[in-house]
Amino acid sequence: MIFDLPKLVFEAALKLMRLQGLTPQQAVARAKQQFPGASGLDTKELERKLEAEAAKDAAKNKTGAAAGTAVPVTAGHYAIRRSDEEYLTLQNGDRTAGTPTVVFAPAGNPAQRWELKVLEAAAGTTTCTLRNLAGGSFLGYEEEPDADVLTGGFPEPVTWALSPGPDARRFTIAVPGADLHLGISLMRAYPPRTGLKESDGQDTAEWELEAL
């Protein structure tokens, strides 16, 4: 059987670029590692094709956003906000396990920047992890997921499910398989703490992803 090695590398690189937010060059380098004999492959043409695909994807996303349709969530760095004055923040950017997550006015620092890694995307829902760029910890919770459990930064990744709401720019950040989503805790604190909330049939698409 004859294999079209450049085609195999291109298809693998395209998947990596879309799911993990890699550049064409990074995606090709990673894809070449998957195929014996690809180390000496001239990849300039593959990188040009990937750049063209990336441009097409960006155009589709822009068109979808303008039309009010759901835009696919892609891997990358984001600020996550509820409003212009409420950004999801790892308090003080502290890497200590259990450091609270809060909503705070935009400060433009790494404590308000999150790395989104896509795990799976299907049927309008994207499962992912969210890692803070200041503390390096993951958005999560210490106890079993339940209503009013507080969220914070933890060393082990926790899976979240993102799904768009009626306003395609806003998303529900939910616990997969449970009727729980990320919201504002009832705890009296400043800045306000975030925690898990029951949906109760309400619109839970509270969060907007702001690509950095």
Side-chain angles (χ1 to χ4, degrees):
M1 182 179 294
I2 300 176
F3 293 98
D4 186 341
L5 188 56
K7 181 179 179 182
L8 292 174
V9 173
F10 172 77
E11 290 174 347
L14 182 61
K15 184 175 181 180
L16 287 166
M17 185 179 72
R18 285 174 169 166
L19 290 181
Q20 298 185 18
L22 303 180
T23 66
Q25 292 77 16
Q26 292 170 331
V28 168
R30 188 82 60 84
K32 285 172 63 177
Q33 297 173 6
Q34 301 178 16
F35 299 97
S39 59
L41 190 67
D42 185 356
T43 58
K44 291 183 179 179
E45 180 61 26
L46 297 182
E47 290 171 3
R48 282 195 289 268
K49 289 172 66 177
L50 287 171
E51 288 169 356
E53 290 297 323
K56 290 179 185 177
D57 290 345
K60 287 180 182 178
N61 288 349
K62 185 176 181 180
T63 301
T69 57
V71 177
V73 177
T74 57
H77 293 173
Y78 294 89
I80 303 174
R81 66 181 188 177
R82 290 182 79 239
S83 70
D84 289 344
E85 294 298 320
E86 295 178 300
Y87 279 70
L88 182 65
T89 307
L90 181 68
Q91 195 163 42
N92 299 322
D94 193 338
R95 66 177 63 246
T96 305
T99 295
T101 46
V102 300
V103 290
F104 198 70
N109 59 46
Q112 294 181 331
R113 298 172 184 168
W114 299 85
E115 180 185 43
L116 187 154
K117 180 179 179 180
V118 173
L119 303 178
E120 185 178 3
T125 298
T126 300
T127 55
C128 66
T129 59
L130 293 165
R131 186 179 70 88
N132 187 264
L133 296 185
S137 53
F138 293 88
L139 177 66
Y141 37 85
E142 190 168 14
E143 308 169 39
E144 289 297 313
D146 202 352
D148 300 321
V149 167
L150 296 172
T151 57
F154 295 92
E156 297 299 323
V158 170
T159 299
W160 297 91
L162 274 61
S163 55
D167 180 341
R169 297 170 301 173
R170 302 184 71 81
F171 291 83
T172 297
I173 302 177
V175 177
D179 191 26
L180 297 167
H181 67 280
L182 182 69
I184 302 301
S185 167
L186 295 176
M187 174 184 285
R188 292 179 177 272
Y190 182 82
R193 292 285 307 269
T194 58
L196 301 181
K197 308 289 292 181
E198 290 183 323
S199 299
D200 294 329
Q202 303 297 314
D203 178 14
T204 58
E206 300 184 33
W207 305 94
E208 186 171 342
L209 304 180
E210 186 179 289
L212 300 174

